[in-house]
Amino acid sequence: MTKNSDTTAGIYKETLLAGLWRENPVFRLLLGMCPTLAVTAAVKPALTMGLCVIFVLLCSNIVVSLMRNLLKPHLRILMFTLTIATFVTIADLFLKAFALRMSETLGPYVPLIIVNCIIICRAEACASKNGLLVSFIDALGMGVGFTLTLCVLAGVREVLSTGAIWEISILPAGFVPWAAMRMPVGAFITLGLLLGLVNVLSRKKA
Amino acid sequence: MSKIKYFVQQSWLLIVASFCFGLLIAIANAHWSDEIEQNKIDKLNHLTAALLPKARHFIEIDTEIEVESAKGKKVKIKVYRAVSDADECVGWSFNAVGPGFADKIELVIAVDKDFKTIAGFDVLASNESPGTGDKIKEDKFRNQFKDIGAIKLELIKSGKAKDNEILAISGATISSEAVVKIINHYIKEVREAMQSKGLLGNDKEQ
């Protein structure tokens, strides 16, 4: 805990920053591995997935926080799932209406946000125990942390698999694309190396 | 009576939330359903127009066409009559679905007006492996189906393909085989169904 964490502003800052580094959902908590591995072959789908998760996280945390005093302990998981499924369905419909090609690229991984552990974890660990503002900031921090992680992973894979980033060529014409980086094996290798790098950096910080 | 009271006490939030969330999804769906439907039509028209370049309009035929699906069930499919500027039938197109390597593959198949030549196919939806199975969407594979006889196609794994042969994608034999099977099955089924309804060889009836 830092000195700031005792003040209200300090709590908000700590909550926001936790999702970005200290409790980063992918690198520190190892949550949401399914989309992390599946949609990071390129930056565009990774960013879209991240934005969908931010939307669902924000909406579900707000709703869960508002009804936290009414929740029955044995029905809470059911309520969380119902809330998350609603906003995921809305995000899915939005993509189908306004970004059909992206919706097709992401395929079943948008509906699968319903079972993304990050969202249910934040509903259980934060939103069901805290007020509206803390829940909102927590969702924002976790969502942005997740999105940035996905984009970093996707950036590495896209550059090595196509020589381009955001479909803009950045490597010399002689570069031989690594086809494996587009495939699941590329996702596992890149994630493993980045996790190792984050661990090394964390140790140095400590 | 007490049981009902207990049930309501325990589940009222769930019931109210289900109603509200259902309403939210219904509103989103109603709001965006036109765009979603239009996107589907645009995609189908775009793909089919590329397969039958002489066609200017695609008219869904009124007659119900029922075919046997890959699972052996009878399913109704939409068949479109491709019409030229001179209001002549220049071909037919229809959707076809079958199992692929990872998930089902949904195709749009176009044939000439007499059902004797395949004009080509395109992929409406698939989740085949990136880098291998998803090459079924690429021109190199799809072009093999252009302007070939609408007879039973055979898949070969290597060598030079003859008239009714299709060369499989290297490393994606199952996906290649799935496409060939879907096309063989649906062309036979749709042709028979249309012949039995008297739709083939008599354009003026449309």
Side-chain angles (χ1 to χ4, degrees):
Chain A
M1 284 277 178
T2 62
K3 284 176 192 172
N4 282 345
S5 63
D6 293 337
T7 63
T8 313
I11 291 169
Y12 294 152
K13 191 182 167 190
E14 279 287 302
T15 309
L16 185 67
L17 294 178
L20 298 179
W21 181 257
R22 189 167 42 81
E23 289 177 28
N24 182 285
V26 177
F27 289 145
R28 311 305 297 171
L29 304 179
L30 296 181
L31 295 175
M33 287 292 112
C34 174
T36 303
L37 295 166
V39 304
T40 52
V43 177
K44 277 184 186 176
L47 182 65
T48 312
M49 170 58 72
L51 293 175
C52 288
V53 169
I54 291 175
F55 167 74
V56 176
L57 252 174
L58 284 173
C59 294
S60 69
N61 263 21
I62 289 169
V63 172
V64 171
S65 177
L66 287 174
M67 65 185 182
R68 68 187 187 282
N69 295 324
L70 303 170
L71 286 171
K72 302 278 180 200
H74 60 285
L75 288 176
R76 72 187 195 292
I77 299 294
L78 185 59
M79 287 301 300
F80 296 162
T81 313
L82 190 68
T83 311
I84 295 163
T86 302
F87 294 110
V88 170
T89 308
I90 290 170
D92 194 27
L93 286 172
F94 180 84
L95 284 181
K96 280 182 179 155
F98 300 105
L100 181 66
R101 193 172 285 184
M102 188 51 73
S103 172
E104 286 169 358
T105 306
L106 292 172
Y109 296 105
V110 175
L112 279 174
I113 297 173
I114 294 171
V115 289
N116 189 318
C117 299
I118 299 168
I119 299 165
I120 209 154
C121 166
R122 297 330 294 170
E124 171 74 357
C126 180
S128 63
K129 297 181 177 79
N130 289 292
L132 191 62
L133 196 55
V134 172
S135 303
F136 180 87
I137 292 169
D138 177 76
L140 196 63
M142 285 288 163
V144 172
F146 178 72
T147 306
L148 288 176
T149 312
L150 250 61
C151 288
V152 169
L153 199 62
V156 174
R157 289 182 65 195
E158 190 175 351
V159 167
L160 294 176
S161 65
T162 62
I165 195 157
W166 200 264
E167 294 173 10
I168 299 165
S169 187
I170 56 163
L171 292 184
F175 172 73
V176 179
W178 300 7
M181 294 307 279
R182 284 180 66 197
M183 293 151 84
V185 63
F188 279 106
I189 289 171
T190 314
L191 179 65
L193 291 173
L194 286 177
L195 277 174
L197 182 69
V198 168
N199 282 344
V200 170
L201 291 175
S202 305
R203 271 186 214 152
K204 277 188 181 172
K205 263 192 169 181
Chain B
M1 191 64 186
S2 62
K3 274 186 183 175
I4 294 173
K5 196 178 171 186
Y6 177 75
F7 172 78
V8 172
Q9 271 178 349
Q10 292 294 309
S11 61
W12 73 268
L13 183 62
L14 186 65
I15 295 165
V16 172
S18 301
F19 179 77
C20 294
F21 291 151
L23 194 65
L24 204 60
I25 293 172
I27 291 168
N29 190 46
H31 196 65
W32 293 326
S33 60
D34 289 346
E35 281 90 350
I36 293 171
E37 202 52 41
Q38 192 56 48
N39 279 342
K40 281 184 189 170
I41 294 167
D42 287 349
K43 187 180 178 190
L44 187 68
N45 283 349
H46 175 74
L47 295 179
T48 322
L51 298 172
L52 291 164
K54 285 181 187 169
R56 287 293 168 267
H57 313 284
F58 295 93
I59 303 161
E60 188 182 339
I61 61 170
D62 297 332
T63 317
E64 254 182 19
I65 300 293
E66 207 174 49
V67 299
E68 198 173 273
S69 73
K71 288 180 179 173
K73 287 181 185 171
K74 286 279 180 190
V75 288
K76 286 172 191 161
I77 65 160
K78 287 178 181 175
V79 176
Y80 297 87
R81 184 170 175 256
V83 181
S84 69
D85 280 336
D87 207 25
E88 283 175 358
C89 176
V90 290
W92 305 91
S93 74
F94 48 89
N95 293 9
V97 186
F101 176 66
D103 197 357
K104 66 179 182 181
I105 298 173
E106 200 176 334
L107 307 176
V108 54
I109 302 170
V111 292
D112 74 331
K113 64 174 183 173
D114 301 317
F115 245 85
K116 286 180 180 165
T117 309
I118 299 172
F121 85 91
D122 212 327
V123 181
L124 281 172
S126 79
N127 283 314
E128 298 305 285
S129 311
T132 51
D134 71 347
K135 285 185 180 172
I136 58 168
K137 296 174 186 171
E138 291 181 4
D139 288 349
K140 191 182 172 188
F141 180 68
R142 291 195 304 112
N143 284 345
Q144 297 186 83
F145 294 81
K146 270 189 180 172
D147 302 324
I148 58 167
I151 51 173
K152 195 179 178 197
L153 304 172
E154 300 286 342
L155 189 79
I156 57 164
K157 290 179 184 174
S158 59
K160 198 175 178 186
K162 292 173 197 161
D163 286 348
N164 67 329
E165 288 178 341
I166 301 294
L167 183 61
I169 299 162
S170 175
T173 313
I174 297 175
S175 302
S176 313
E177 201 173 4
V179 171
V180 172
K181 267 187 185 173
I182 295 168
I183 291 175
N184 278 340
H185 179 75
Y186 270 80
I187 284 185
K188 179 176 166 282
E189 288 283 322
V190 176
R191 183 198 282 131
E192 283 174 7
M194 287 180 69
Q195 278 171 343
S196 70
K197 304 270 180 182
L199 291 166
L200 279 182
N202 192 356
D203 301 336
K204 285 174 186 174
E205 279 185 13
Q206 290 301 301

